[in-house]
């Protein structure tokens, strides 16, 4: 029912993390746990290079989350689930916790299904665009290259 994991990040992954999320420069490790006993409980710990870096990263991550959490209902994420996301720091780590009840998981699953169905519908009804032909049509035959004009045969100079 519980899953635990931990790992140190190689420099290449740490560079990707710092490029993708503001404030994650200096990320050195990730650890976490999943509790699947009554829904989904999640705890993630991001190990940084120093306690000072953890405090500034915590402020950055919290600000980013505060900026996007109001959009969660637009994507079918229950506001009760958003309210249970938390961020703290301890020593040189930033810790994120979140949990979902089975009802919230089911609501989220339904919303994702509706979003993907809408995407499938949009793919089935593309906008009217000029036709480029079918992808399985054979390519048109190549245009013949013009035949070069015959060159006159050079006449040898008269003997001297």
């Amino acid at each position: 029912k519980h899953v635990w994991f931990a790992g140190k990040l190689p420099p290449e992954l740490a560079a990707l993390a710092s490029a993708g999320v503001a404030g994650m420069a200096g990320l050195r490790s990730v650890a976490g746990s999943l509790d699947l006993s009554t829904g989904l409980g999640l705890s993630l710990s991001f190990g940084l290079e120093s306690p000072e870096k953890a405090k500034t990263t915590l402020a950055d991550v919290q600000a980013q989350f505060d900026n996007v959490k109001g959009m969660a209902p637009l994507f079918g994420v229950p506001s009760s689930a958003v309210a249970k996301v938390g961020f703290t720091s301890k020593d040189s780590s930033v810790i994120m916790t979140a949990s979902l009840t089975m009802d919230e998981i089911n609501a989220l699953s339904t919303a994702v299904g509706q979003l993907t169905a809408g995407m499938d519908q949009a793919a089935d009804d593309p906008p009217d665009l000029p036709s480029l032909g079918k992808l399985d049509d054979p390519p048109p035959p190549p245009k013949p290259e013009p035949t070069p004009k015959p060159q006159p045969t050079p006449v040898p100079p008269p003997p001297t």
Side-chain angles (χ1 to χ4, degrees), residues 12 38 100 102 108 124:
E12 299 83 19
T38 60
L100 295 170
M102 285 309 296
L108 190 54
D124 291 341

Side-chain angles (χ1 to χ4, degrees), residues 95-140:
I95 301 158
M96 185 203 97
T97 57
S99 64
L100 295 170
T101 64
M102 285 309 296
D103 288 340
E104 291 165 337
I105 291 170
N106 290 331
L108 190 54
S109 176
T110 300
V112 168
Q114 291 171 344
L115 284 173
T116 57
M119 294 164 108
D120 291 342
Q121 180 65 35
D124 291 341
D125 296 329
D128 291 332
L129 296 174
S131 175
L132 299 175
K134 295 180 183 176
L135 293 177
D136 56 355
D137 284 347

Side-chain angles (χ1 to χ4, degrees), residues 14-51:
L16 284 175
S18 63
V21 178
M24 292 304 271
L27 182 63
R28 299 210 171 153
S29 64
V30 178
S33 66
L34 296 171
D35 177 359
L36 306 172
S37 59
T38 60
L40 173 65
L42 173 67
S43 177
L44 292 173
S45 176
F46 301 95
L48 298 157
E49 58 197 13
S50 69

Side-chain angles (χ1 to χ4, degrees), residues 48-58 89-94:
L48 298 157
E49 58 197 13
S50 69
E52 294 76 24
K53 181 63 180 169
K55 287 177 185 171
T56 58
T57 299
L58 172 63
S89 68
K90 181 178 180 187
D91 301 325
S92 58
S93 294
V94 172

